[in-house]
């Protein structure tokens, strides 16, 4: 940037989260780099009194003012001004492309937004620095690189798409570098170690792509001319070569090249790559401008009076707060968000905590450990910036929620955002967004469901959520998954209300990727993952409460059974428990499952035999009701698929017999069921549910003609799901109204006329003698009957 500034360019430089020496020039030549967060600029909150005091204090210079004090004051005021300017600027810029929700994706999205503001900022050339870690792969290199490359690929793909949409891709060049290479031979931990020679990647709209430049080693063994032993190779291309090419692309001539690449002259041309080989077109070489010796300031060093209140990075309290009903209330200005929390503690106040956090992760307000008295009302009020998105989170450390008479209610400008006026049991974590959020949670922007799903505010074209239900499992003891375990599978039974599952939370021990599959029926019934539904694939971070939001909600009928399979990209990445207990809240029952080996292909992996007994999923599943409550069926005990709960006696022994049968493993379950005659008590485990068709009534139904009333019997795809849809419409013993609702929801009347009742039910003529068999070929159906469906 120093050389470009002397050439007369207005330059800018930004580092995402961590600064780099590569951006730092000589003092007084070019503008210093600005460090931004992966989500942009966290606003500096200053109320009018603090703002005025700071302005008076730091814009005043006396005869005895010290040099360092003046420098500090000028830097502080310039930082506040820059923050105000850039925050306001980025608030007006949004990307069209959806970026992945990982560190690199969020950082590149911020860079894309900054690039889009270049004309407003009056900048000719911007330089950006962003880094992605995790590539020091001393162990499990294959699985870790697979996860990391997925993150890199999706982030770069989104960035490239966005640059093309704003017609700036030809003006952008990205170069990937690393501070050292990796050995070509593995170590003893299925990993690689530090090496020397490696490779860089470069891409951009003006880059000559699809080629490898430099000298590729002719011999990759340690005996080759470049071999140093243990898979380490000498490099053949100097670091300066690609950067000299980029400098040439920017129009920098020979006169400025020595400053940018001071070691370039030490290598002859055989080691270098010309700019013409790297780019399709180059900027004409500029000459230094005689007037650009010092950069003009990008912002005024004085504090702008238009700085809007926002979360402070100086630790100032945004507004006074009150800690009981007797404290005075806070008066907010008309343009602030008047945020009020009313909370009544239950008998265990120490279990409750809450925070208000902005979109950059800054905690604006919290309970600060003040909830100490049981059955006591606490009131908190705070004035917040309307231009910022906030998240209110309330936690219950035990996991049973605030119990009556405990309750809470959060309101913003009089509008209740989240509450449980009667007390809501069995949750550990509830949250809601408010303020200037691009969109609410709204079920991952899937807005085509008829009844409430999700916790939080929704976008304007969506309904508001009706329920936010959680089933949680926090056992007394945890077990760390071992290096054989890449995931787990378990079944979930649904109670008397149909539900939608849309999110789960897990304990993650290390950065990895996660893939979540869901299907109807128990996992033992179908291990072909082609028949399962992929609801999530993405990266997860080490966390004791990592939220995984499904890409689409999964519908589950009342009294049905579902299977969940969570697969991780690396072994030993999660926590489970071996207690083997079922967890139920009436709506949903989570059943013990099994740990699995690494997934290869489309089959459910084998169970991990080194783990003794069943594995129990730890943490929580979120769901919402899908329709009004329906009464439980009054059929015989074997018509539903629920195991008997608790312990009962068989042959003078008291046991949880369903659990005992499952512990035998799949091959022995049927033997144990027969041995103890457990079919009626354990229909789920023993697979003895009554699946026989309903009895035929005395009056036969009219027989539809086969030409107009035969269902399709194959599987086909609707909404990216492959199922036998006619069978799906009748699953779970659905009544006629439910079947009709499903037929309409998926528009399968034409494919399933018999099931959906959409065909001509005129009885066919009864023939007493069979028709003679002939050799005549069946007539070819008319073209009108043979058109493919064009929807999804």
């Amino acid at each position: 940037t120093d050389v470009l500034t002397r050439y007369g360019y207005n330059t800018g430089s930004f580092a995402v989260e961590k600064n780099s020496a590569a951006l730092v020039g000589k003092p007084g030549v070019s503008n210093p780099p600005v460090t931004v967060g992966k989500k942009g600029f966290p606003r500096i909150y200053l109320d009018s009194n603090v703002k005025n005091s700071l302005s008076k204090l730091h814009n005043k210079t006396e005869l005895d003012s010290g040099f360092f004090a003046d420098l500090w004051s000028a830097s502080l005021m310039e930082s506040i001004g820059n923050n105000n300017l850039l925050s306001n600027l980025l608030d007006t810029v949004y990307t069209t492309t959806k970026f992945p929700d990982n560190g690199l994706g969020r950082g590149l999205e911020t860079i894309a937004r900054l690039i889009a503001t270049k004309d407003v900022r009056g900048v000719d050339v911007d330089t950006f620095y962003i880094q992605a870690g995790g590539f020091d792969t001393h162990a499990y290199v294959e699985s870790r690189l697979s996860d990391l490359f997925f993150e890199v690929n999706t982030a770069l793909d989104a960035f490239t798409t966005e640059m093309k949409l704003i017609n700036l891709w030809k003006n952008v060049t990205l170069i990937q570098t690393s501070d050292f290479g990796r050995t070509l031979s593995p170590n003893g931990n299925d990993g690689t170690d530090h090496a020397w020679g490696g490779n860089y990647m470069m891409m951009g709209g003006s880059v000559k792509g699809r080629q490898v430049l430099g000298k590729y080693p002719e011999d990759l063994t340690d005996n080759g001319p470049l071999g140093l032993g243990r898979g380490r190779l000498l490099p053949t291309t100097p670091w300066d070569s690609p950067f000299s090419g980029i400098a040439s692309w920017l129009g920098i001539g020979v006169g400025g090249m020595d400053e940018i690449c001071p070691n370039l002259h030490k290598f002859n041309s055989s080691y270098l790559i010309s700019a013409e080989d790297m780019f399709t077109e180059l900027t004409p070489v500029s000459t230094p401008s005689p007037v650009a010796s010092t950069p003009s300031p990008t912002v005024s060093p004085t504090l702008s009076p238009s700085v809007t209140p926002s979360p402070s990075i100086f630790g100032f309290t945004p507004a006074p707060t009150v800690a009981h009903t007797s404290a005075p209330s806070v008066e907010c200005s008309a343009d602030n968000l008047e945020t009020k929390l009313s909370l009544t503690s239950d008998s265990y106040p120490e279990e409750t905590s809450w925070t208000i956090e902005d979109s950059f992760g800054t905690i604006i307000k919290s309970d600060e450990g003040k909830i100490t008295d049981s059955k006591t009302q606490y009131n908190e009020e705070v004035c917040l910036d309307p231009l910022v998105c906030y998240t209110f989170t309330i936690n219950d450390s035990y996991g049973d929620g605030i119990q009556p008479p405990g309750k809470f209610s959060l309101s913003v400008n009089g509008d209740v955002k989240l509450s449980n006026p009667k007390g809501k049991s069995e949750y550990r974590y509830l949250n809601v967004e408010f303020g200037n959020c691009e969109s609410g949670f709204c079920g991952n922007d899937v807005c085509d469901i008829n009844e409430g799903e999700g916790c939080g505010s929704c976008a304007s074209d969506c309904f508001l959520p009706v329920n936010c239900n959680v089933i949680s499992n926090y056992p007394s003891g945890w077990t760390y998954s071992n290096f054989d375990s890449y995931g787990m599978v378990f079944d979930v039974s649904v109670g008397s209300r149909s539900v939608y599952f849309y999110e789960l939370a897990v304990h993650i021990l290390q950065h990895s990727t996660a893939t979540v599959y869901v299907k109807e029926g128990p996992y033992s019934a179908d291990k072909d993952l082609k028949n399962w539904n992929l609801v999530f694939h993405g990266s997860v971070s080490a966390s004791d409460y990592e939220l995984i939001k499904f890409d689409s909600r999964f519908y589950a009928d009342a009294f049905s059974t579902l299977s969940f399979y969570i697969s991780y990209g690396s072994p030993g990445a999660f926590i489970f428990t071996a207690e083997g207990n079922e967890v139920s809240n009436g709506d949903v029952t989570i059943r013990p499952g099994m740990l699995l080996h690494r997934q290869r292909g489309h089959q459910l992996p084998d169970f991990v035999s080194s783990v003794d007994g069943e594995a129990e999923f730890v943490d929580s599943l979120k769901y919402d009701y899908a329709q009004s409550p329906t009464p439980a069926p009054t059929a015989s005990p074997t018509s539903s698929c629920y195991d008997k709960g608790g312990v009962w006696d068989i042959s003078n022994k008291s046991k949880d017999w369903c659990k005992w049968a499952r512990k035998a493993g799949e091959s022995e379950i049927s033997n144990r069921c027969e041995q103890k005659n457990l079919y009626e008590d354990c229909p789920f485990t023993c697979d003895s549910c009554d699946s026989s068709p309903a009895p035929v009534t005395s009056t036969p139904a009219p027989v539809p003609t086969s030409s107009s009333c035969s269902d399709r019997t194959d599987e086909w795809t609707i909404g990216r799901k492959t199922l036998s849809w006619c069978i799906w419409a009748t699953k779970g013993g659905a009544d006629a109204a439910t079947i009709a609702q499903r037929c309409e929801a998926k528009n399968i009347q034409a494919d399933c006329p018999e099931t959906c009742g959409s065909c001509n039910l005129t009885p066919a003529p009864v023939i007493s003698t069979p028709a003679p068999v002939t050799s005549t070929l069946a007539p070819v159906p008319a073209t009108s009957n043979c058109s493919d469906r064009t929807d999804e």
Side-chain angles (χ1 to χ4, degrees), residues 48-389:
S48 57
N49 292 330
V50 175
K51 181 168 55 178
N52 293 334
S53 298
L54 278 175
S55 182
K56 290 178 182 178
L57 178 64
H58 290 283
N59 282 323
K60 187 174 182 180
T61 301
E62 304 288 352
L63 289 175
D64 58 349
S65 296
F67 169 77
F68 292 108
D70 280 350
L71 180 61
W72 162 258
S73 294
S75 299
L76 174 64
M77 300 312 294
E78 183 177 0
S79 296
I80 295 173
N82 273 332
N83 177 273
N84 180 48
L85 174 70
L86 291 170
S87 296
N88 289 339
L89 196 57
L90 279 189
D91 282 346
T92 65
V93 180
Y94 301 95
T95 57
T96 304
T97 308
K98 184 177 181 180
F99 282 72
D101 189 21
N102 57 48
L104 187 60
R106 290 189 293 269
L108 285 176
E109 183 176 17
T110 295
I111 290 175
R113 293 169 66 197
L114 285 167
I115 290 175
T117 68
K118 70 181 188 66
D119 293 335
V120 181
R121 291 184 286 115
V123 172
D124 301 310
V125 180
D126 271 323
T127 308
F128 299 93
Y129 171 81
I130 185 172
Q131 70 177 40
F135 289 87
D136 198 10
T137 51
H138 291 284
Y140 306 108
V141 61
E142 183 181 355
S143 59
R144 290 183 65 185
L145 283 185
S146 176
D147 298 343
L148 291 166
F149 284 163
F150 174 81
E151 290 187 20
V152 171
N153 190 61
T154 53
L156 290 177
D157 181 59
F159 179 79
T160 303
T161 301
E162 185 66 21
M163 291 299 100
K164 290 178 179 178
L165 288 174
I166 62 175
N167 297 317
L168 287 176
W169 180 232
K170 291 195 69 174
N171 302 72
V172 173
T173 294
L174 296 91
I175 183 167
Q176 165 270 323
T177 69
S178 178
D179 45 359
F180 47 77
R182 310 297 302 183
T183 56
L184 299 181
S185 57
N187 57 26
N189 295 319
D190 291 333
T192 61
D193 296 323
H194 298 183
W196 194 353
N199 47 65
Y200 292 174
M201 294 187 295
M202 195 165 78
M203 62 202 75
S206 298
V207 174
K208 284 184 180 178
R210 303 186 182 185
Q211 58 174 337
V212 177
L213 300 178
K215 184 180 179 181
Y216 191 84
E218 297 176 357
D219 187 345
L220 296 176
T221 69
D222 290 344
N223 298 323
L226 301 176
L228 298 173
R230 257 294 275 118
R232 296 183 174 93
L233 299 182
L234 284 168
T236 59
T237 303
W239 181 92
D240 305 69
S241 188
F243 285 95
S244 64
I246 294 174
S248 297
W249 174 66
L250 290 171
I252 295 175
V254 177
M257 203 63 72
D258 285 343
E259 185 174 351
I260 295 171
C261 302
N263 294 316
L264 195 64
H265 66 278
K266 297 179 181 180
F267 301 92
N268 62 45
S269 59
S270 65
Y271 290 97
L272 303 180
I273 303 169
S274 69
E276 289 76 10
D277 289 336
M278 298 166 63
F279 294 94
T280 57
E281 55 186 75
L282 302 175
T283 304
V285 174
S286 304
T287 55
S289 169
V291 296
S293 57
T294 57
S296 57
T298 56
V299 294
S300 169
T302 60
L303 182 62
S304 168
S306 62
V307 175
T308 51
S310 329
S312 171
I313 62 171
F314 297 105
F316 298 138
T317 304
T321 59
V322 293
H324 281 78
T325 52
S326 58
S329 62
V330 175
E331 292 194 13
C332 298
S333 61
D335 59 346
N336 282 166
L337 297 175
E338 186 180 43
T339 307
K340 296 183 178 181
L341 172 66
S342 175
L343 185 150
T344 301
S345 58
D346 61 10
S347 300
Y348 303 93
E350 68 279 359
E351 296 173 1
T352 303
S353 62
W354 60 267
T355 59
I356 296 176
E357 191 174 285
D358 69 10
S359 55
F360 305 99
T362 305
I363 294 178
I364 310 306
K365 198 68 186 167
S366 70
D367 61 280
E368 298 176 350
K370 296 176 182 176
I371 307 174
T372 56
D373 299 327
S374 63
K375 303 177 183 178
T376 302
Q377 184 173 346
Y378 294 83
N379 290 334
E380 294 283 353
E381 300 182 26
V382 62
C383 303
L384 297 175
D385 183 359
L387 299 178
V388 177
C389 179

Side-chain angles (χ1 to χ4, degrees), residues 450 494-500 520 554-562 626-627 630 716 718 723-752 755-758 789 791:
N450 294 325
V494 180
S496 61
R497 296 194 69 168
S498 299
V499 298
Y500 290 97
E520 296 174 346
F554 195 85
Y555 173 81
D557 278 323
F559 306 109
S560 65
T561 298
L562 302 182
Q627 59 189 42
T630 56
W716 67 101
I718 295 177
L723 288 175
S724 299
W725 292 99
C726 306
I727 297 175
W728 168 81
T730 62
K731 269 201 168 183
D735 56 22
T738 303
I739 292 174
Q741 187 180 36
R742 292 181 185 174
C743 290
E744 186 176 354
K746 298 299 180 183
N747 188 23
I748 57 175
Q749 289 90 339
D751 298 288
C752 310
T755 294
C756 299
S758 56
R789 286 185 64 166
D791 63 332

Side-chain angles (χ1 to χ4, degrees), residues 579-659:
E579 293 178 1
N581 297 319
E582 294 178 352
V583 181
S584 180
N585 65 354
D587 290 336
V588 174
T589 300
I590 300 179
R591 301 184 181 278
M594 300 297 291
L595 299 189
L596 302 177
H597 285 290
R598 185 176 183 179
Q599 181 187 326
R600 299 183 185 274
H602 295 286
Q603 291 294 313
L604 197 68
D606 294 333
F607 300 149
V608 177
S609 59
S610 59
V611 176
D612 184 21
E614 298 169 313
E616 189 180 339
F617 169 73
V618 171
D619 224 300
S620 57
L621 274 170
K622 284 191 177 183
Y623 63 94
D624 245 310
Y625 299 129
Q627 59 189 42
S628 300
T630 56
T634 57
S636 62
T638 56
S639 63
S640 68
C641 220
Y642 286 99
D643 286 348
K644 183 175 178 180
V647 175
W648 69 103
D649 293 335
I650 294 179
S651 303
N652 297 321
K653 283 188 178 179
S654 295
K655 274 193 175 183
D656 184 336
W657 291 102
C658 305
K659 179 178 177 182

